[in-house]
Amino acid sequence: MIFGNLINLGVKSEMEFYQKREARIVNLFALITLLGLIIGVSSIMFISGDYVTSTVLFTTLTSLSILFLNYKLHHNAATYLFVITINVTIFILNQQYIDSVGNYLYYFPVIFCVALIHNPVKSNTRTAIFFSIVLVSFLCSRFIHISYLKNTSITEADNTALLTYNSVLAFFVTIILVFLVVKLINRQNNEALALLHKEQDAQKIISQSLKEKETLLAEIQHRVKNNLAIITGLLNLQTEKAPCETSKQLMIESRNRVMSISMVHERLYKKDNLSKINLKLYLFELVQELIKSFPINSKQIEIIDELEMVELEITKAVPIGLIVNEAITNSLKHAFNNGHQNPSIKIKMQLIYDRIQICIMDNGIGFGDITSRQDTALGLSLIESLSDQIDATIVFKNDTGACVSIVIPV
């Protein structure tokens, strides 16, 4: 329990996987170093020379400092301190004793540990620096000899005993390190699996909640569609009882505006995506329904559609439908007189980069005084108001007839 708490010094639940592993590995190696130093004290029983007290104290203090830095959440500083000080310690040990005692064997567990603290999330330069420190320390140990660091009290018999002692200690330290690291990694894998299962359970709950909301939204769309259909039916009944042709025409126009909104909700109800509709199919069906609303004026009118496939969210589809409704209605009411030859209405939609351009054109008599009509005509005023709602640019012009052009950002 105590050992486990020491391994987890400075490890927080919010830390990412490799950061946790790095902190735990550094803590583990600091603890093993301290354990090795405690065991190393027993070497005085086998040798007659002086014990390297200063080196042991230095290593003990740095190991405790590493644990303290991790505890204070200075993980990067703890890792650098570990790599630098452990290599300095081994270098000094190699200077104090001759090569034959085998102090260089301690480089093997150090290399293993440095490889384990590699963090893929961080720069590879960091790991390269760590291995460079190990390499420099090893080369300096082999080719640099500092005479005043030599322990001159060591005899040949001591050297033989130390070789055996260091070989056994390095072997067991490596075995213990590998065992504990494997155990540590297995523990982290179990933590990761537990977290994965928790995330999967959360995803199931979210998916279920999303399905319920989609079902509810579909039901809302269905009810809105039905309510608008009822309103359309009531307007149809009222149209039949209109006292005059002008009143009847106004009722038809009001019915068509409600119908254009109702068709959006109907298309949403019929598809899986409850936030976007196919604008091409919607506008095509809308134009056909509008033509049916003016049987006397429109039976000889040719409808030309050039519509690209575009999907758009409902917040913009409804205003666009109303704009097209007003523009088509305007052409059907005012563009053609009884003697007009080959009357036609063309609706064109294209996606240009991040803009949708819709043009409704007829080959009729065109707009009269455009400025005046925009101020007085309800339909054209409504088009301008709806355009402002979706940040669209609207242009009224005469081009072999009336032309309404709208550019919508998407």
Side-chain angles (χ1 to χ4, degrees):
M1 183 68 180
I2 297 175
F3 184 76
N5 290 335
L6 290 173
I7 290 293
N8 286 291
L9 277 176
V11 176
K12 303 296 182 183
S13 59
E14 63 270 16
M15 292 165 60
E16 55 94 17
F17 178 84
Y18 289 105
Q19 192 176 9
K20 288 181 181 179
R21 187 179 75 174
E22 178 184 322
R24 284 169 174 164
I25 292 294
V26 171
N27 286 337
L28 175 61
F29 206 89
L31 292 171
I32 289 177
T33 302
L34 290 172
L35 179 63
L37 292 172
I38 294 172
I39 296 173
V41 174
S42 62
S43 65
I44 61 176
M45 300 168 57
F46 304 100
I47 61 173
S48 57
D50 296 333
Y51 188 67
V52 285
T53 306
S54 58
T55 305
V56 171
L57 287 174
F58 170 75
T59 309
T60 302
L61 289 173
T62 54
S63 297
L64 292 173
S65 298
I66 290 165
L67 293 172
F68 180 75
L69 286 172
N70 267 340
Y71 173 71
K72 289 296 185 179
L73 305 181
H74 301 302
H75 302 105
N76 202 44
T79 303
Y80 271 97
L81 181 64
F82 156 68
V83 175
I84 293 171
T85 57
I86 198 67
N87 281 282
V88 169
T89 300
I90 298 174
F91 168 75
I92 294 173
L93 285 173
N94 277 284
Q95 294 300 312
Q96 292 174 328
Y97 300 97
I98 62 175
D99 292 343
S100 60
V101 302
N103 282 322
Y104 57 84
L105 294 171
Y106 295 111
Y107 278 113
F108 292 106
V110 170
I111 292 172
F112 175 66
C113 191
V114 169
L116 285 172
I117 61 177
H118 169 66
N119 190 335
V121 178
K122 296 183 179 180
S123 171
N124 290 331
T125 305
R126 181 173 177 264
T127 304
I129 291 172
F130 292 159
F131 278 112
S132 298
I133 292 171
V134 177
L135 178 62
V136 169
S137 176
F138 176 76
L139 292 175
C140 289
S141 298
R142 302 301 296 167
F143 299 109
I144 295 177
H145 300 284
I146 304 174
S147 57
Y148 73 86
L149 290 177
K150 287 292 181 186
N151 189 342
T152 55
S153 63
I154 298 297
T155 64
E156 285 296 327
D158 292 338
N159 288 334
T160 303
L162 283 172
L163 175 60
T164 303
Y165 191 88
N166 287 331
S167 299
V168 172
L169 184 58
F171 175 77
F172 278 106
V173 166
T174 304
I175 293 298
I176 293 170
L177 180 62
V178 170
F179 172 77
L180 292 175
V181 165
V182 170
K183 188 175 179 180
L184 186 62
I185 291 175
N186 285 337
R187 177 184 173 182
Q188 280 200 282
N189 285 339
N190 291 334
E191 289 179 358
L193 287 173
L195 183 61
L196 178 61
H197 291 316
K198 186 177 179 181
E199 289 292 331
Q200 288 175 341
D201 292 340
Q203 286 293 332
K204 288 180 182 178
I205 295 173
I206 292 171
S207 297
Q208 183 63 32
S209 176
L210 184 60
K211 287 180 181 178
E212 291 174 358
K213 289 179 180 178
E214 287 177 347
T215 302
L216 179 60
L217 184 57
E219 180 62 25
I220 291 172
Q221 299 289 4
H222 183 55
R223 293 193 180 191
V224 171
K225 177 184 74 71
N226 288 344
N227 290 338
L228 291 173
I230 292 172
I231 295 172
T232 302
L234 292 173
L235 289 172
N236 281 333
L237 291 174
Q238 197 66 38
T239 300
E240 294 175 1
K241 297 181 179 181
C244 63
E245 192 61 33
T246 301
S247 299
K248 183 176 181 179
Q249 191 62 44
L250 291 173
M251 296 300 295
I252 290 174
E253 290 178 21
S254 298
R255 189 275 312 270
N256 287 345
R257 287 167 183 150
V258 175
M259 179 193 66
S260 68
I261 301 173
S262 175
M263 288 177 65
V264 172
H265 292 279
E266 184 176 7
R267 296 207 64 82
L268 286 174
Y269 179 69
K270 289 180 179 179
K271 59 181 293 191
D272 294 333
N273 189 336
L274 296 173
S275 62
K276 292 186 176 183
I277 69 168
N278 186 320
L279 198 58
K280 174 183 177 179
L281 294 178
Y282 166 59
L283 293 182
F284 176 79
E285 292 177 0
L286 176 61
V287 171
Q288 300 304 314
E289 289 296 325
L290 291 173
I291 293 299
K292 293 177 184 177
S293 301
F294 292 84
I296 298 176
N297 296 334
S298 64
K299 60 183 178 180
Q300 302 299 326
I301 298 175
E302 179 186 10
I303 302 298
I304 304 169
D305 61 273
E306 296 179 5
L307 305 171
E308 289 186 8
M309 186 69 72
V310 176
E311 286 211 338
L312 198 63
E313 59 271 16
I314 185 174
T315 53
K316 290 190 176 181
V318 170
I320 288 173
L322 288 169
I323 290 171
V324 171
N325 173 80
E326 297 303 324
I328 296 290
T329 299
N330 183 71
S331 293
L332 291 172
K333 286 174 60 179
H334 305 294
F336 312 112
N337 51 39
N338 293 331
H340 198 91
Q341 297 295 317
N342 302 319
S344 67
I345 298 175
K346 180 178 181 180
I347 177 169
K348 181 178 181 181
M349 178 177 68
Q350 55 186 338
L351 182 63
I352 305 173
Y353 298 108
D354 59 345
R355 298 285 188 273
I356 297 174
Q357 183 179 37
I358 301 175
C359 296
I360 300 99
M361 300 163 280
D362 62 53
N363 62 349
I365 60 176
F367 293 116
D369 186 346
I370 297 177
T371 304
S372 164
R373 292 190 65 176
Q374 287 179 32
D375 291 335
T376 57
L378 173 62
L380 300 184
S381 299
L382 184 58
I383 288 175
E384 286 192 321
S385 176
L386 292 166
S387 299
D388 290 338
Q389 290 181 22
I390 55 176
D391 298 321
T393 302
I394 193 81
V395 176
F396 301 96
K397 61 182 179 179
N398 287 318
D399 184 10
T400 65
C403 175
V404 178
S405 177
I406 176 173
V407 178
I408 310 111
V410 294

